[in-house]
Amino acid sequence: MNSPTPQFVPSRLSIYEPIHQIGVWGENFKRNGNPNTSTSLIVEVDNKLENESETTSHEMLAPTNNYEQEASKPIDKIQRRLAQNREAARKSRLRKKAYVQQLENSRLKLIQLEQELQRATQQGLYMGGVLEGSHIGFSGTVNSGIAAFEMEYGRWVDVQHRQICELRTALNAHISDIELRILVKSGMGHYFELFRMKSTVAKADVFYVISGVWKTSAERFFSWIGGFRPSELLKVLVPQLDPLTEQQILEVCNLKQSCQQAEDALSQGMEKLQETVSSTVAGGPVDEVSYIPQVATAMEKLEALVSFVNQADHLRQETLQQMSRILTTRQAARGLLALGEYFHRLRALSTLWATRPPEPSLP
Amino acid sequence: MQQAIPYKSWPLPCIDATSHRARSTTTLGHNGRGKDVLNIVSENAVIVLARKGCCMSHVMRRLLLTLGVNPAVHEIDEEDEAGVLNELGTICKGTENNKMVQLPAVFIGGRLFGGLDKVMATHISGDLIPVLKGAGALWL
């Protein structure tokens, strides 16, 4: 950076601006102490300021003109180099994103393992000597159930992504309705597959499903009983489906209302369950050391949570089914594309969030 | 506000329609004996049978309330459960599910309608309100 030839510097340094600003610019340099800029330029300007008065701008015009003339030739080279830098930086950022996403996944797995361990320890305390052998087996089963789900879910997301791309291509290519029908069916079936997977892992550990640790952070933000709200789903879908017939608008409206009613009923049931578990755990005298009866009873009540997850998924499934009955094949395809793209963007948001730069410190 | 729904005719329940005017009672108490249950089921247009403290029956009840139905709720004690389910099994012969009744269960028009699954699915497809109207549980 100490070469004698004039160098292109970022426009904020304004070397092409009128003379009277050069003095200010030089001072800005000194104040910020920016190490990235050319020190030789500073020295040059400073020298000129010292040797001549500020009002003799005439002499200073010459170096400015020199900058302008000579800078026009190396501009292309410089701009090309900058473009290459940008490209390299972009690629580097993408690589970093992928790496951090991997780290994020590993971190989540670590959290799960720690929770497993904690739970196994607590169960060890609770079940005492009689079941000592089996409690290890239980948490082992839980572990493998969760591990199996994680693997399957990873594959599920990949297949989902592929299906979305296929749908997009198919819709743009205007393929026949018959072929589109096949894509719609497999798209719907894919969601139903997820509900089956969730049902299985819910039996192993319902808290795992409800916590949503298996999803990305932005998806988790919208989580309702271990998944998306069916009414939210409709809000995402419907704007993408224009134009709808009068009849369809009416049916969608009815569906929205039924969906909301069913959701509310389930939410209220969940609240009741929370109250029940809370009062069970809190019950009994606190000055006694033994809390086993309360905790044991609460465990039984928590079994209902599995039903809630199943009912919530069932509601999601029925909502999707009803939508597919209301819509034409083409509309259903657009709907599936919109839905898949929405979740894809939420996942991208999560990754972006995870890789957001730290608070910038002043130079 | 009820939405406009295409008219569907539903088969009227075999039991005399006049016995179907829904009672305004809610919880009918914990008397779980089999024969009493059969009477209660036939006397109410809509009734939810559930175990004590079941949260799913709460969900069922809240959903029906939202639709404008005030369902009777009958809670079954654990010890009476087997007997009650047996009795219910007798009136469920001839319907699609010959298996044992699963709790919580809703009976509409004196007949077993199903569990929460069935209620949700039927509501989403828009068919629940016509069924309720047909059983005299809903007017308007």
Side-chain angles (χ1 to χ4, degrees):
Chain A
M1 287 295 271
N2 280 329
S3 69
T5 55
Q7 299 190 4
F8 183 77
V9 291
S11 56
R12 66 183 171 95
L13 296 174
S14 308
I15 61 169
Y16 300 122
E17 293 205 350
I19 304 306
H20 63 272
Q21 288 195 12
I22 288 189
V24 175
W25 168 66
E27 277 172 30
N28 278 341
F29 256 116
K30 282 188 257 184
R31 252 202 309 275
N32 294 344
N34 194 335
N36 287 334
T37 53
S38 162
T39 51
S40 65
L41 280 168
I42 297 172
V43 171
E44 278 181 50
V45 171
D46 275 351
N47 282 340
K48 288 191 167 35
L49 281 172
E50 281 166 16
N51 296 337
E52 298 156 24
S53 75
E54 288 169 341
T55 53
T56 53
S57 49
H58 195 66
E59 287 86 345
M60 294 185 108
L61 263 171
T64 317
N65 282 341
N66 281 341
Y67 290 152
E68 286 181 33
Q69 280 173 1
E70 293 184 55
S72 62
K73 283 182 204 163
I75 270 182
D76 288 330
K77 272 194 223 164
I78 289 160
Q79 280 187 337
R80 205 178 328 127
R81 182 159 34 88
L82 283 164
Q84 282 169 351
N85 278 351
R86 277 196 294 273
E87 190 56 42
R90 194 179 70 84
K91 284 188 183 146
S92 168
R93 279 193 295 271
L94 285 173
R95 279 198 302 272
K96 186 182 171 189
K97 266 187 204 175
Y99 176 62
V100 173
Q101 177 68 349
Q102 214 184 354
L103 278 180
E104 180 82 347
N105 288 341
S106 304
R107 190 177 69 88
L108 289 175
K109 281 195 185 118
L110 186 62
I111 292 173
Q112 279 161 29
L113 283 172
E114 283 173 349
Q115 286 175 344
E116 293 286 352
L117 201 58
Q118 205 186 15
R119 200 180 329 111
T121 318
Q122 286 169 353
Q123 281 173 350
L125 281 170
Y126 165 59
M127 294 199 197
V130 178
L131 297 167
E132 206 156 343
S134 64
H135 92 259
I136 295 168
F138 175 70
S139 46
T141 315
V142 168
N143 256 325
S144 67
I146 290 178
F149 175 81
E150 299 232 303
M151 243 175 40
E152 280 178 26
Y153 182 65
R155 279 199 293 264
W156 187 91
V157 172
D158 291 337
V159 171
Q160 174 79 339
H161 188 69
R162 186 168 43 80
Q163 284 185 346
I164 298 308
C165 295
E166 275 174 7
L167 271 171
R168 191 179 284 125
T169 314
L171 283 167
N172 288 335
H174 304 290
I175 66 172
S176 76
D177 265 16
I178 300 174
E179 289 168 321
L180 210 51
R181 184 96 216 121
I182 297 172
L183 285 180
V184 167
K185 266 192 133 48
S186 73
M188 300 277 285
H190 197 55
Y191 280 110
F192 302 161
E193 179 60 38
L194 177 62
F195 301 144
R196 272 195 294 277
M197 284 161 50
K198 283 167 72 182
S199 178
T200 307
V201 77
K203 289 192 197 96
D205 183 1
V206 70
F207 278 136
Y208 171 76
V209 178
I210 291 222
S211 71
V213 290
W214 49 280
K215 294 191 284 184
T216 61
S217 42
E219 289 174 292
R220 223 176 298 139
F221 174 55
F222 292 101
S223 198
W224 173 79
I225 314 188
F228 54 83
R229 275 182 186 275
S231 57
E232 276 298 317
L233 180 162
L234 292 175
K235 282 194 203 124
V236 167
L237 276 185
V238 172
Q240 300 283 338
L241 297 173
D242 284 334
L244 293 168
T245 66
E246 288 270 324
Q247 177 68 12
Q248 283 178 326
I249 292 174
L250 178 66
E251 288 175 332
V252 166
C253 195
N254 288 343
L255 179 58
K256 272 190 185 169
Q257 190 181 33
S258 310
C259 211
Q260 192 63 56
Q261 288 165 340
E263 259 181 53
D264 290 345
L266 278 172
S267 294
Q268 285 166 350
M270 281 287 277
E271 275 176 30
K272 174 123 192 290
L273 182 61
Q274 274 187 337
E275 281 167 35
T276 310
V277 171
S278 176
S279 62
T280 305
V281 168
V286 293
D287 21 65
E288 287 180 13
V289 177
S290 166
Y291 52 77
I292 300 291
Q294 287 83 3
V295 173
T297 314
M299 280 269 291
E300 283 170 21
K301 296 195 188 290
L302 278 174
E303 304 269 319
L305 211 46
V306 180
S307 304
F308 273 100
V309 169
N310 289 335
Q311 286 299 329
D313 278 346
H314 178 67
L315 182 60
R316 292 172 187 119
Q317 180 154 335
E318 287 301 316
T319 305
L320 285 171
Q321 295 264 27
Q322 180 68 0
M323 272 308 267
S324 78
R325 276 178 224 128
I326 295 173
L327 301 176
T328 66
T329 306
R330 191 149 295 264
Q331 285 169 329
R334 286 225 309 275
L336 280 174
L337 173 59
L339 198 58
E341 178 63 16
Y342 177 68
F343 290 125
H344 178 68
R345 289 183 190 178
L346 280 182
R347 284 181 218 120
L349 174 61
S350 306
T351 310
L352 202 62
W353 175 258
T355 58
R356 74 195 185 282
E359 284 283 302
S361 49
L362 293 169
Chain B
M1 186 184 87
Q2 295 297 336
Q3 58 275 25
I5 294 173
Y7 173 76
K8 278 184 186 171
S9 64
W10 290 86
L12 289 171
C14 346
I15 306 175
D16 187 11
T18 54
S19 68
H20 276 184
R21 295 295 166 250
R23 296 225 292 255
S24 55
T25 53
T26 50
T27 312
L28 297 176
H30 303 188
N31 193 343
R33 275 177 292 155
K35 293 225 166 59
D36 293 336
V37 172
L38 283 181
N39 288 337
I40 292 164
V41 161
S42 60
E43 283 166 9
N44 284 280
V46 181
I47 177 166
V48 175
L49 261 60
R51 292 185 195 100
K52 248 172 49 166
C54 172
C55 291
M56 281 303 164
S57 75
H58 189 74
V59 176
M60 250 193 217
R61 191 162 168 268
R62 297 245 50 111
L63 182 57
L64 289 167
L65 279 170
T66 317
L67 303 182
V69 177
N70 193 359
V73 176
H74 183 81
E75 289 181 338
I76 303 173
D77 288 326
E78 242 183 277
E79 53 264 20
D80 301 324
E81 198 175 309
V84 168
L85 290 182
N86 252 328
E87 286 294 328
L88 291 173
T90 60
I91 68 168
C92 295
K93 278 184 200 157
T95 59
E96 319 90 54
N97 36 357
N98 287 323
K99 319 181 281 186
M100 286 281 275
V101 177
Q102 296 256 347
L103 294 178
V106 65
F107 287 76
I108 300 180
R111 289 232 290 259
L112 172 67
F113 184 73
L116 189 56
D117 267 12
K118 184 89 194 289
V119 171
M120 289 284 189
T122 314
H123 184 50
I124 291 294
S125 63
D127 300 326
L128 186 59
I129 290 188
V131 167
L132 291 167
K133 283 185 177 167
L138 259 185
W139 298 275
L140 292 174

